[in-house]
Amino acid sequence: MFVATRNWYDLAAWRFAYPGVTRKCFFQKWIIVVADVPQGYQDISEEDQKKAQAFFERGRSVADTGNFEYAIEMYLQGLNIDPDAVDAHKALRDVSLKRKASGGKDLGMFEKMRIKRQAKEPKHTLLTAEKLLAYDPGNTDHMITMLRTAQEEGFYDTVLWIGPILQKANADSTKPPPNFDKFITLKDVYKSLRQWKLATDACHYAVRLRPDEMNLQTELKNLGAQQTMSEGQYEAAGSFRKSMRNLKLQEDLLEKDKDVRSLDALTRSVKEAEAEYQADPQETGKLMKLVEALVRTEQTENENRAMELLAQTYERTKQFRFRHSLGRIRLTQLSRQERLLRAQVQADPKNEDLRRQYSEQVKSQTAEELKEYTLFADNYPTDMTFRYQIARRLFTLGRFNDAIPVFQHARNDPKFRIDAGVFLGRAFLESNFNDEAVDTLRGVLEEYPIKGDARSIDMNYWYGRSLEQKGDVPVALKAYSQVAQWDFNFRDVQARIKKLRA
């Protein structure tokens, strides 16, 4: 925890409040370093905070029009960049409560399952739980998931925001009655962050439900003693974000620790999973554990073995989830082959044989991916991800008229609204529907909240291309000029400006 002050009385007060405190002086400003801060806090860079803010502002303006679902997606996209933005969490919850009050319904069972399947990383688990909570704002199970994941990932301000909401919701619950385990979870999470007062309050609620548990009574007394000794730490700092902004190095070290995986450990994991599967080959849970272990090695031989197992199980059960997993592995292999060949071309750019081989590889890979995603979409018709991927492959293959209606369909999902809009405009452009291209790309630019990032530069470029093809030279020049001001070397923008000015 870092606290800046130039007041010697403040300094004395902090040293009294925190025995063992250290201090440093930089540019006549005393920096007080409290040694006993919780480990693992993730500090979000100021650059990412600014990027996220654009989405939050867009979400706020959209919510004011009553378009709550789109506002929810805007806030979630911003929180994907800055997951510890408490003001955004508060605003998103306010949107969800307004939506609920206006008659908004919870998501359907299949939509919930689809959303949960998409959570591949802990941060995605946090945002998935928050999305589910936005559509069902009283669900304490989603709150628990948010609390645990935020604590595990180091988003401590988010923990201290959702914790009191969870505690009140659990305490006020009548059907079902208050859940003892949720109070215990709250207590343990607060203890890990040394938030003794909050831990004590949560423990009080647990004791009320089970007053005869002597161990819990003893822990309550100990927490009370800790609270007395360290009263006010979090309140004094204001937030973890303010007090631990300079702990970026710690975050980097933790991230490196997560990524350390030795080949020996992966091989051992495969052997253990194989033994469990051979003991009960009809148990699909053990099959999937073996498949995951094989795939993690990123070795083609093991991946092929995983696909064989999945194909056999699909033939036996006719459950498409096994065929879907097989297809995912195949897509990963195709992507890896493309990357390897691209690296060879980049290393020897004048080799025409390599360039021709790479071009053929991309074409055949795109066709294979189109088949897979079409199969996925046929079996999971409500998952717009697959529709969007189909449209991308159709575009790459030059089938622009086929891609247009699919991009239009994909735009109905807020996750793909921007990217699908850009490709839709480009598809119109390639099909010589110039007015439609201009209108589509202009609409995407007006809707996108960030100016000057890579996506907005790309949008302005294609907007300029559509205007140029339409014959609207002055406005096209303005769009190209904006691109050049942001990135002077972007594609062929210099040549296009010179050509139009001539």
Side-chain angles (χ1 to χ4, degrees):
M1 184 184 300
F2 294 83
V3 183
T5 179
R6 289 181 180 174
N7 189 312
W8 279 100
Y9 295 102
D10 291 344
L11 177 59
W14 272 91
R15 288 183 60 80
F16 178 80
Y18 300 107
V21 73
T22 60
R23 58 181 178 174
K24 298 179 181 179
C25 184
F26 298 105
F27 305 108
Q28 298 183 345
K29 181 177 287 190
W30 286 96
I31 306 295
I32 304 170
V33 185
V34 179
D36 58 345
V37 296
Q39 298 295 307
Y41 175 74
Q42 286 209 46
D43 187 32
I44 310 299
S45 69
E46 291 187 9
E47 180 183 358
D48 282 346
Q49 291 180 42
K50 289 178 182 178
K51 289 180 181 178
Q53 194 61 38
F55 287 98
F56 300 150
E57 290 172 0
R58 178 64 178 166
R60 190 180 305 112
S61 63
V62 170
D64 290 341
T65 68
N67 192 347
F68 298 127
E69 285 79 8
Y70 188 36
I72 289 171
E73 289 300 328
M74 285 293 99
Y75 276 112
L76 289 172
Q77 286 191 36
L79 288 167
N80 186 52
I81 301 171
D82 182 5
D84 215 15
V86 170
D87 287 342
H89 287 301
K90 291 178 180 178
L92 174 54
R93 181 153 182 82
D94 183 57
V95 169
S96 72
L97 293 172
K98 288 179 180 177
R99 178 184 176 277
K100 178 83 171 178
S102 66
K105 303 297 183 182
D106 190 12
L107 296 172
M109 179 181 67
F110 292 109
E111 178 66 9
K112 290 179 182 178
M113 291 172 61
R114 183 187 69 80
I115 293 172
K116 289 178 180 179
R117 282 198 302 267
Q118 293 176 344
K120 304 297 184 184
E121 301 175 5
K123 184 176 74 170
H124 296 158
T125 300
L126 171 66
L127 297 177
T128 294
E130 188 153 16
K131 180 170 184 175
L132 295 172
L133 183 65
Y135 286 87
D136 186 12
N139 191 307
T140 55
D141 290 335
H142 301 328
M143 296 179 193
I144 278 286
T145 302
M146 284 189 65
L147 180 89
R148 285 173 170 162
T149 309
Q151 184 260 332
E152 291 168 359
E153 291 304 298
F155 306 132
Y156 297 157
D157 285 322
T158 300
V159 171
L160 297 180
W161 165 73
I162 192 63
I165 296 174
L166 168 61
Q167 181 168 289
K168 186 177 189 307
N170 191 35
D172 294 345
S173 180
T174 55
K175 293 182 181 180
N179 185 294
F180 173 81
D181 291 333
K182 289 176 181 175
F183 287 131
I184 294 297
T185 298
L186 263 172
K187 181 254 305 174
D188 291 340
V189 168
Y190 284 143
K191 279 176 62 179
S192 72
L193 302 187
R194 300 185 179 89
Q195 300 302 309
W196 307 115
K197 181 181 184 304
L198 297 173
T200 302
D201 291 343
C203 194
H204 266 298
Y205 279 102
V207 167
R208 290 177 192 173
L209 294 179
R210 298 187 184 178
D212 296 331
E213 289 201 9
M214 300 309 298
N215 290 339
L216 199 57
Q217 293 279 5
T218 301
E219 185 172 17
L220 179 61
K221 293 178 182 178
N222 293 336
L223 289 172
Q226 288 280 6
Q227 175 188 344
T228 301
M229 289 187 291
S230 57
E231 193 75 51
Q233 288 188 27
Y234 180 76
E235 292 82 351
S239 73
F240 285 102
R241 169 163 290 179
K242 293 177 182 177
S243 62
M244 303 175 73
R245 189 167 288 152
N246 295 322
L247 293 181
K248 179 64 177 168
L249 176 60
Q250 174 179 290
E251 175 191 351
D252 293 340
L253 291 174
L254 285 173
E255 193 63 31
K256 289 177 182 177
D257 287 342
K258 290 180 187 177
D259 294 336
V260 174
R261 294 187 298 180
S262 69
L263 183 60
D264 288 342
L266 291 173
T267 303
R268 185 166 59 252
S269 176
V270 170
K271 289 181 178 179
E272 291 172 355
E274 182 78 57
E276 292 183 20
Y277 170 71
Q278 293 298 339
D280 189 2
Q282 301 301 312
E283 171 58 48
T284 57
K286 293 178 180 179
L287 165 73
M288 294 309 297
K289 183 178 179 180
L290 174 57
V291 166
E292 290 170 5
L294 289 165
V295 170
R296 277 199 300 270
T297 65
E298 297 184 355
Q299 295 180 353
T300 302
E301 181 181 355
N302 286 335
E303 290 171 339
N304 291 340
R305 159 83 168 137
M307 288 193 289
E308 288 175 7
L309 291 170
L310 289 167
Q312 294 169 5
T313 307
Y314 173 58
E315 289 299 321
R316 177 170 57 84
T317 65
K318 301 303 179 184
Q319 295 182 31
F320 187 75
R321 62 191 179 104
F322 300 110
R323 176 61 183 82
H324 179 235
S325 296
L326 186 159
R328 285 293 187 186
I329 298 172
R330 179 60 183 148
L331 291 174
T332 300
Q333 289 184 332
L334 290 170
S335 180
R336 186 165 62 237
Q337 292 169 9
E338 183 273 333
R339 289 197 307 271
L340 291 172
L341 194 53
R342 175 163 28 104
Q344 294 178 36
V345 172
Q346 291 171 346
D348 188 7
K350 296 182 179 180
N351 189 324
E352 291 299 326
D353 289 337
L354 266 180
R355 294 173 69 87
R356 185 164 47 254
Q357 185 181 350
Y358 176 70
S359 178
E360 293 173 356
Q361 165 69 22
V362 170
K363 187 175 181 180
S364 63
Q365 174 184 336
T366 304
E368 285 295 316
E369 290 173 342
L370 178 59
K371 291 179 183 178
E372 288 295 328
Y373 282 118
T374 301
L375 185 61
F376 296 169
D378 289 343
N379 285 272
Y380 299 127
T382 62
D383 193 331
M384 207 59 62
T385 301
F386 303 136
R387 298 290 176 191
Y388 175 68
Q389 296 299 341
I390 288 171
R392 287 286 303 270
R393 272 67 188 176
L394 290 170
F395 184 93
T396 301
L397 292 170
R399 296 168 56 182
F400 304 113
N401 287 346
D402 292 333
I404 286 171
V406 189
F407 277 129
Q408 290 173 327
H409 191 191
R411 287 198 76 195
N412 293 324
D413 190 324
K415 292 195 302 298
F416 305 113
R417 187 170 182 81
I418 298 297
D419 291 336
V422 174
F423 274 105
L424 177 59
R426 291 180 59 187
F428 278 133
L429 182 64
E430 295 288 350
S431 298
N432 292 317
F433 287 91
N434 299 329
D435 290 336
E436 290 75 10
V438 169
D439 291 343
T440 300
L441 289 164
R442 184 194 299 119
V444 174
L445 277 168
E446 291 172 351
E447 195 169 355
Y448 188 65
I450 301 176
K451 306 302 178 186
D453 70 340
R455 292 171 81 188
S456 66
I457 293 172
D458 189 62
M459 292 175 201
N460 274 275
Y461 174 81
W462 288 109
Y463 180 50
R465 287 282 300 269
S466 66
L467 289 162
E468 181 182 359
Q469 187 161 306
K470 183 182 177 183
D472 195 344
V473 173
V475 185
L477 264 173
K478 187 176 180 180
Y480 287 146
S481 176
Q482 180 63 83
V483 172
Q485 291 175 57
W486 283 332
D487 186 350
F488 191 60
N489 293 319
F490 189 79
R491 294 186 181 170
D492 60 348
V493 71
Q494 295 180 42
R496 289 186 176 277
I497 291 174
K498 291 176 181 178
K499 175 185 173 183
L500 293 184
R501 284 178 177 168

